[in-house]
Amino acid sequence: MSKQPKILFIFAKHGTDTSTRFGGFVKRIVNNGGLDYAQADYVALEDLIFHIKDDNSARVFDETRGIDLANYSFVYFKSWQSMPRLAASAAFYLEAQGIPYEDAQVRYEMIAKTPNYMKMWAQGISVPESLWGSNGAMAKHIGSGSVPYPVVIESVTGEKGKDNYLAKN
């Protein structure tokens, strides 16, 4: 018996398991026989953590739901437009992992620091260890004690060294 492929649906914002813009959408597809051949999961961009490590590896994950994008055979971006920087970052990561995805439009994001870091990493260009996500996901991740201090916190919209802060704890 062959192993079922895993498909991930990515939404911008999390909702309930019955919401038509989150879990309910995926459950309706599964219940109506549209994904009999696969296992389907869903996650919100706002819950993802993006981490490019010093050893030139990277990971994109939701530690609360136990979702790691590297574990999926296909990813479908649904209703992502309110978080284009995170969607583009995820798309560049998926490309580097050889994981197909749809909607290809997500990778054509305006110039921004975080998607560009992921794109450079995907092309084998060395970038400093970097960690980013939505404010809520970062607050949870930092609160979990998994971030070593000291760290430099930069605004994603800052430039020329403005809006950079040293956090010692």
Side-chain angles (χ1 to χ4, degrees), residues 9 21 28 47 78 81 105 111 133 157:
F9 290 82
R21 296 189 185 267
R28 276 198 326 274
D47 295 330
K78 173 84 172 127
Q81 292 84 351
Q105 188 177 20
I111 296 173
T157 58

Side-chain angles (χ1 to χ4, degrees), residues 52 56 58 91-97 116-125 127:
I52 298 174
N56 202 32
F92 289 126
Y93 173 79
L94 292 168
E95 287 178 12
Q97 298 299 324
N116 283 338
Y117 267 20
M118 191 59 80
K119 184 177 183 179
M120 289 186 296
W121 169 82
Q123 297 298 318
I125 298 169
V127 295

Side-chain angles (χ1 to χ4, degrees), residues 28 85 115 149:
R28 276 198 326 274
R85 288 184 181 101
Y149 289 95

Side-chain angles (χ1 to χ4, degrees), residues 80-81 83-89 91-92 104-116 119:
W80 55 270
Q81 292 84 351
M83 302 191 108
R85 288 184 181 101
L86 296 181
S89 295
F92 289 126
Q105 188 177 20
V106 300
R107 84 184 294 278
Y108 299 102
E109 213 294 79
M110 80 291 273
I111 296 173
K113 188 180 298 186
T114 50
N116 283 338
K119 184 177 183 179

